[in-house]
Each structure stands twice: as C-alpha cells, then as structure tokens.
Amino acid sequence: MTEKPDLLGMTLEEAKTLAKDLGEAAFRGQQLYGWMQKGVPLEEMANLPASFRERLRTECIYRLPQIVQKQVSKVDGTIKYLVSMIDGECVESVFMRYAHGNVVCVSCQAGCRMGCAFCASTLRGRSRDLTAGEILGQVAVIGRDTGERIGGVVMMGIGEPLDNYENTVRFLHLVSKTEGLNIGLRHISVSTCGLVPQIYRLAEEGLPVTLSVSLHASDDGVRSKLMPVNKTYPIDSLLQACQYYFDKTGRRVSFEYTLIAGENDRLADAAALADRLRRTLRGPCHVNLILLNPVRETGLSAPRREGARAFCAYLEKRGISATIRRRLGSDIDASCGQLRRRHLEGLENRNLQEKS
C-alpha cells in the first residue's frame, strides 16, 4: 500500500507535479504551496476549487499542527505553544523576540529517548519522530498566529534532531527555500546531545547551520551521569566531531552548558572546561551558559546567578567566548517538555475518572 503524499513536506515543484497528477493546472500547486507556507487549513484556501480541495483531503495528508494551548509571557512577550499533530501527539514550540528579529524554537520528536537527567522532555520517552512537514508546520502556524515575520529557527524543542536525521535535514531544505518561508540557513541552529556519527554526516550536507552541542560537563564521569549518550560517545570523540564540523563548514560551534548546583557549577569545573576546549579544538567556539530550569521529578536545582557570572567571567579570562543565556519567558513554563507533560497527565487523569 502506497503512503499518501505529505503535502506540507513538499517543495514547490513537488506541489505543482501533484496538482497536475490530480488533473489540475500547475499553478494550482503553486497556490496550494503558498497557502501552506502561511499555515492555512485546506478549507480556508479560498482560491482553490472545492473539488481540488476535496481530492487533497481524501488522497493526501496535510499534517498542519493545531494550537491546543499557548502561554504568553507578561515579562517579554515570549509565547509558548502546545501544538497537536493529526494523530493527537502534542509537542511544544516557542516564539521569541530578539533585537535582531523573531525566532521560533521547534520540536522534532514527540518525546525524547536520550534520557538526560535534567530534562522534562525525556521523562516519558519518545512516542515517535515528527515528519519534516510537521516540523515546518510549527513555524508556519506560529507565523500565522502572531502575524509577524520569523527570521530564525532553533531546533532545541522536544526531541533530538540528529536522532530524527532524515526529517531534520529535509526540514532544513524546506524552511530555507526562497519561494517558501525563506529563512536563511545561517539563522538556524541545530541542537544535539552529541550523536557523533550524525555530526560527521551533517558536516557533509553543505548546510551552513549553527551546530549547538549540549555539553553540560567537562568530565566524562559527570557527563555520563547527566547524559547517558556520553557512555557511547565520550567527550573527546564528541569534540573531535565538532572540530570536523568547523573544518568542513567554517561555522563556529556553540556549546550549551546548563549550570546545575553541586554538579558542574564550580570554578574548578570552569577551569576544566576551558582546559578541555582549548586542548581539543583548533577553531573558535562559544559557550552558552544556562541556569537550570528546575523540573520537579529530577531533584536538581540551579545555582545562584552570581555563581553563573563568576563561571562566565572565568571562561572569558581563559579566552573562551561565553555568555549567560537570557532567560526568556521566565513567568511561563520555560523548560521544554513541561507543558506537554502536564497535558499528558491531564489526559491520563481524565481517562481514569471516566473508567472509575
């Protein structure tokens, strides 16, 4: 049985070909494509013939996410979305305003199987991968909901992008199409917990995106405790892959380092991190320090901000570019996975009440 065509995952040329295959002129495919990039449901694509829309509805799949819930920060206007896919799976996306433009953080999987100790996204494991169209759809529906131009994307929501490699790369091609959303690849960051073979593979794709590596420790023992992936791909092998990525793309690698009280936040940890980066990497890098967003189940907490400032200052003194990430949406569920987790808990409680 042949799978139905996934409309939102199509290029313009593929949409034109589909229109012709369904007995319509090619320009109908162009109209369809334009509507989809704006996050418009099929029934609202007013200039498409009703018969064409009906065939699209029955013979294709339109995986446009639906907004289930959104939280708007009163502090900085950040908007956190819970969006539902066509099978009911929910993920989170975030709209953020910066001086240089608007950025959307997207999810790439429903849940995550990486098992990082501090992350809410992984508490229930991974349900499934998202398609390239479902990832693109998050950007499209948020652009429509806000009515604002989106100039950048970070793949730092729920899931591990390089664990969903094919759909991640397909999404990068789709979102950067000049006839589509036209978001430049240099304005896109792809996060990874450190899947080394896929980093080498991404380096060969010819996509000048920023690689953002979740490091979170300078010592293999600590990192393996926080991030199980380190048992398979320890820090030295990860940093070698990062160096290769820089050599192939010329793009500076960014390291995410979440400061966790009593785990990795001492000045001795900063010294060890500086030593390791300077010893292993030849090219430039940047360390993005993040104060942990506490998740109830983990029992972990954030250090004081003055400790984070001292950590950052030490790295800078050692010649390592570093900043403390500005905490957007501090008055809403800023940590990825928390909104989805509460939604799933609510569904489970409702089902239990209905059965009792």
Side-chain angles (χ1 to χ4, degrees), residues 218-284:
S218 60
D219 170 83
D220 279 317
V222 176
R223 192 168 191 266
S224 293
K225 177 183 174 184
L226 296 174
M227 305 179 71
V229 68
N230 196 75
K231 298 171 185 176
T232 304
Y233 306 116
I235 294 174
D236 278 346
S237 66
L238 173 58
L239 294 181
Q240 289 166 11
C242 292
Q243 181 62 53
Y244 184 82
Y245 188 85
F246 171 77
D247 291 341
K248 289 293 292 186
T249 66
R251 300 287 288 161
R252 183 182 73 170
V253 176
S254 176
F255 293 101
E256 307 294 305
Y257 192 103
T258 297
L259 292 164
I260 305 170
E263 297 287 345
N264 63 0
D265 64 327
R266 302 164 302 167
L267 285 183
D269 296 312
L273 177 61
D275 288 342
R276 195 141 201 175
L277 293 178
R278 289 179 65 85
R279 183 174 69 246
T280 310
L281 298 178
R282 298 184 305 276

Side-chain angles (χ1 to χ4, degrees), residues 132-283:
E134 287 172 326
I135 304 171
L136 183 74
Q138 295 169 64
V139 185
V141 298
I142 290 173
R144 187 184 192 211
D145 185 66
T146 61
E148 297 187 39
R149 160 73 181 162
I150 295 169
V153 172
V154 291
M155 299 191 75
M156 295 182 183
I158 295 173
E160 161 59 51
L162 299 189
D163 188 40
N164 185 14
Y165 187 87
E166 300 294 344
N167 284 309
T168 289
V169 170
R170 174 76 173 175
F171 162 72
L172 294 173
H173 284 289
L174 289 172
V175 77
S176 58
K177 292 288 186 184
T178 54
E179 64 272 19
L181 293 178
N182 193 27
I183 297 176
L185 290 168
R186 293 180 180 274
H187 299 290
I188 299 176
S189 293
V190 176
S191 176
T192 179
C193 66
L195 299 181
V196 167
Q198 288 89 327
I199 292 174
Y200 283 106
R201 190 177 172 191
L202 185 64
E204 304 294 338
E205 296 283 356
L207 299 168
V209 296
T210 297
L211 182 67
S212 184
V213 177
S214 296
L215 192 58
H216 308 311
S218 60
D219 170 83
D220 279 317
V222 176
R223 192 168 191 266
S224 293
K225 177 183 174 184
L226 296 174
M227 305 179 71
V229 68
N230 196 75
K231 298 171 185 176
T232 304
Y233 306 116
I235 294 174
D236 278 346
S237 66
L238 173 58
L239 294 181
Q240 289 166 11
C242 292
Q243 181 62 53
Y244 184 82
Y245 188 85
F246 171 77
D247 291 341
K248 289 293 292 186
T249 66
R251 300 287 288 161
R252 183 182 73 170
V253 176
S254 176
F255 293 101
E256 307 294 305
Y257 192 103
T258 297
L259 292 164
I260 305 170
E263 297 287 345
N264 63 0
D265 64 327
R266 302 164 302 167
L267 285 183
D269 296 312
L273 177 61
D275 288 342
R276 195 141 201 175
L277 293 178
R278 289 179 65 85
R279 183 174 69 246
T280 310
L281 298 178
R282 298 184 305 276

Side-chain angles (χ1 to χ4, degrees), residues 20 26 56 59 75 86 113-114 117 125 134 136 151 178 197 225 232-233 235 239 280 293 323 342 352:
K20 289 190 286 186
L56 291 172
E59 299 180 35
V75 176
I86 59 173
R113 61 177 177 175
M114 295 296 108
E134 287 172 326
L136 183 74
T178 54
K225 177 183 174 184
T232 304
Y233 306 116
I235 294 174
L239 294 181
T280 310
N293 278 309
T323 52
R342 275 212 309 276
L352 287 173

Side-chain angles (χ1 to χ4, degrees), residues 258-332:
T258 297
L259 292 164
I260 305 170
E263 297 287 345
N264 63 0
D265 64 327
R266 302 164 302 167
L267 285 183
D269 296 312
L273 177 61
D275 288 342
R276 195 141 201 175
L277 293 178
R278 289 179 65 85
R279 183 174 69 246
T280 310
L281 298 178
R282 298 184 305 276
C285 68
H286 179 79
V287 177
N288 196 7
L289 297 170
I290 306 160
L291 285 167
L292 177 73
N293 278 309
V295 176
R296 183 182 66 242
E297 290 85 346
T298 68
L300 301 173
S301 60
R304 293 180 179 275
R305 182 162 283 274
E306 52 264 32
R309 285 195 287 263
F311 197 105
C312 185
Y314 183 89
L315 292 179
E316 290 280 354
K317 183 179 178 181
R318 292 289 305 276
I320 304 294
S321 173
T323 52
I324 299 173
R325 179 187 287 177
R326 177 180 159 212
R327 182 177 281 183
L328 296 176
S330 58
D331 57 331
I332 56 178

